[in-house]
Amino acid sequence: MAIEAFLGTRPQKAFLFTVLIQAVVVLAMVGIIYGKVTSSIDPSDVATIPCYLALFAFAEIFETIITVDALKLRNTIQLIGILFFHCGMIVMSSLQIYQTRLALVTDENSDCYA
């Protein structure tokens, strides 16, 4: 059995390309949200938001590194783990919308009040 080169197949290249594009888009969005929050509100008033955003950014970087490792070692079980990790990140991102709104909106009469 011959040893294949790293990223020797089109599906491997496509998967890595997809994860890298996703990481760039997510990290850009996290940066934009952080910039908008800190420019309009004092960061000491909402200390939880940078923590949520940093956790999500580090999770995205971790997913990218683990993807490269799984593709390099040709580890199918690790790729399935990445799928479950990504599903967990989807759940976390949906909860993050509620948590961010709860931290930012303090007026009970507002349309965005949780």
Side-chain angles (χ1 to χ4, degrees):
M1 187 161 122
I3 298 175
E4 293 183 24
F6 176 60
L7 298 177
T9 63
R10 288 179 59 197
Q12 289 177 334
K13 291 176 185 175
F15 186 69
L16 184 62
F17 179 74
T18 303
V19 169
L20 289 175
I21 292 298
Q22 170 192 328
V24 168
V25 169
V26 167
L27 291 175
M29 290 172 64
V30 165
I32 290 169
I33 292 169
Y34 179 75
K36 286 188 177 199
V37 167
T38 56
S39 68
S40 62
I41 297 173
D42 185 24
S44 63
D45 292 339
V46 285
T48 58
I49 292 178
C51 180
Y52 293 145
L53 296 174
L55 183 65
F56 202 77
F58 285 133
E60 191 64 46
I61 293 168
F62 174 76
E63 183 180 9
T64 305
I65 292 169
I66 293 299
T67 299
V68 171
D69 184 54
L71 291 174
K72 183 178 179 185
L73 298 177
R74 304 185 56 83
N75 191 342
T76 306
I77 296 173
Q78 197 171 2
L79 288 173
I80 294 169
I82 291 168
L83 173 70
F84 289 129
F85 183 78
H86 191 73
C87 290
M89 285 182 59
I90 291 171
V91 171
M92 182 182 166
S93 66
S94 65
L95 293 174
Q96 193 172 12
I97 295 169
Y98 173 75
Q99 292 170 342
T100 303
R101 183 181 304 136
L102 191 65
L104 290 177
V105 179
T106 57
D107 183 18
E108 293 181 6
N109 297 326
S110 175
D111 292 336
C112 297
Y113 190 71

